[in-house]
Amino acid sequence: MSGKLYLVATPIGNLEDITYRAIRVLSEVDIIAAEDTRHTKKLLNHFNINTSLTSYHEHNKIEKGPYLIKKLQEGLTIALVTDAGTPGISDPGEDLVRLCRMEDIEVTSVPGAVALITGLILSGLNTRRFVFEGFLPHDKKERNSILQKLKVEHRTIILYEAPHRLKQTLKQLLEALGNRNIAITRELTKKFEEVDTITLEEAVNKYGSESPRGEFVLIIEGKPLEDLRNEEIQRWENISIEDHYNKYIEEGLDKKNAMKQVAKDRGTSKRDIYNYLVKLDN
């Protein structure tokens, strides 16, 4: 009978944020697979946990994944932890979960701290709908592609960023998105926790003279839906109503629905479109 994989959330800063269940599971499993065994060892020592440790991270996941699967198939229980927060978010935990699902190995979660949610609820920005992008890619072309997509994203945007890349990222965000509001959070749950809600322009100026320290969660205001709608209407204004209408006719819409769609695109009434087209026929 196969064992079980536990995805165990660990504190993102304050050690008091670990759960009783997490401590129990980490104490009882056969193996703890950790992103950085030296970092996790400090956590285990603090709570007097002596479970055997092995490494599992981005650079060894291809060979280590099958090894962990084999141990699970032998009936062992394994807890997967990241350096901080919930495993499987912006780390290779998702790959191990996928392998377990393929092999019908049971996976369960021991929930706890997660930096992106902590930053979001502290930001003061809209929490109803949001999109998490993690770390922007290093590849310039791929990075620019994502930034262009975020340019029209109306939901609140959440990013992770390392201190040595923060200045560059803030400049690129300002260039791509314009001067939006942003909450720059760092050292979450720690003694020097900081949440700075300012504009992107102010952020670029601030960190142009300061040296960023700590891990950052960036929460960025989405583009207002009204702005998106106005831009859409302006795009249609570049072609005539007649050409706009004929476009939908060529795509197979009947006259009634073509006029209805043109009116919707241009933010006007169907009657206005009808009257305009009738005048052209006359």
Side-chain angles (χ1 to χ4, degrees), residues 114-233:
V114 56
L116 73 98
I117 297 299
T118 304
L120 175 64
I121 63 175
L122 290 175
S123 70
L125 298 178
N126 192 323
T127 62
R128 192 176 73 85
R129 298 186 70 198
F130 58 90
V131 56
F132 174 62
E133 283 290 339
F135 290 94
L136 291 174
H138 291 276
D139 181 78
K140 186 177 180 180
K141 186 175 180 181
E142 188 180 355
R143 189 180 180 95
N144 287 336
S145 175
I146 290 176
L147 286 171
Q148 287 306 305
K149 291 176 182 177
L150 293 179
K151 186 176 182 178
V152 294
E153 177 58 67
H154 67 274
R155 295 169 293 183
T156 300
I157 302 161
I158 307 174
L159 303 174
Y160 286 163
E161 194 50 279
H164 66 280
R165 294 178 62 189
L166 181 67
K167 292 181 182 180
Q168 178 191 23
T169 296
L170 290 173
K171 288 179 181 178
Q172 291 174 336
L173 287 169
L174 178 59
E175 290 172 3
L177 309 184
N179 195 24
R180 310 254 190 103
N181 289 320
I182 180 173
I184 302 176
T185 73
R186 59 180 290 275
E187 299 295 278
L188 291 172
T189 76
K190 299 179 183 178
K191 182 178 181 180
F192 297 107
E193 175 180 279
E194 182 180 356
V195 179
D196 197 6
T197 302
I198 52 181
T199 66
L200 274 169
E201 192 172 88
E202 290 170 335
V204 169
N205 292 332
K206 175 179 179 177
Y207 287 97
S209 57
E210 291 185 17
S211 297
R213 300 180 66 180
E215 297 299 317
F216 289 83
V217 181
L218 308 179
I219 300 90
I220 307 148
E221 182 180 46
K223 192 177 185 73
L225 286 172
E226 184 179 353
D227 289 354
L228 287 171
R229 181 65 181 134
N230 289 336
E231 289 177 4
E232 183 181 356
I233 291 172

Side-chain angles (χ1 to χ4, degrees), residues 11 14 19 21 24 32 44 56 70 82 140 154 192 234 238 271 273:
N14 193 320
T19 67
R21 184 182 173 210
R24 178 180 61 78
I32 297 173
L44 300 185
Y56 176 77
K70 184 173 183 295
T82 184
K140 186 177 180 180
H154 67 274
F192 297 107
Q234 288 173 6
N238 293 327
R271 179 171 291 277
I273 301 301

Side-chain angles (χ1 to χ4, degrees), residues 15 23 51 53 61-62 80 91 93 96 98 105 125 132 165 176 231 243:
L15 293 180
I23 293 173
T51 305
L53 273 170
K61 66 181 183 181
I62 294 177
L80 178 67
D91 73 28
L96 185 58
R98 189 178 301 112
I105 294 169
L125 298 178
F132 174 62
R165 294 178 62 189
E231 289 177 4
D243 288 343

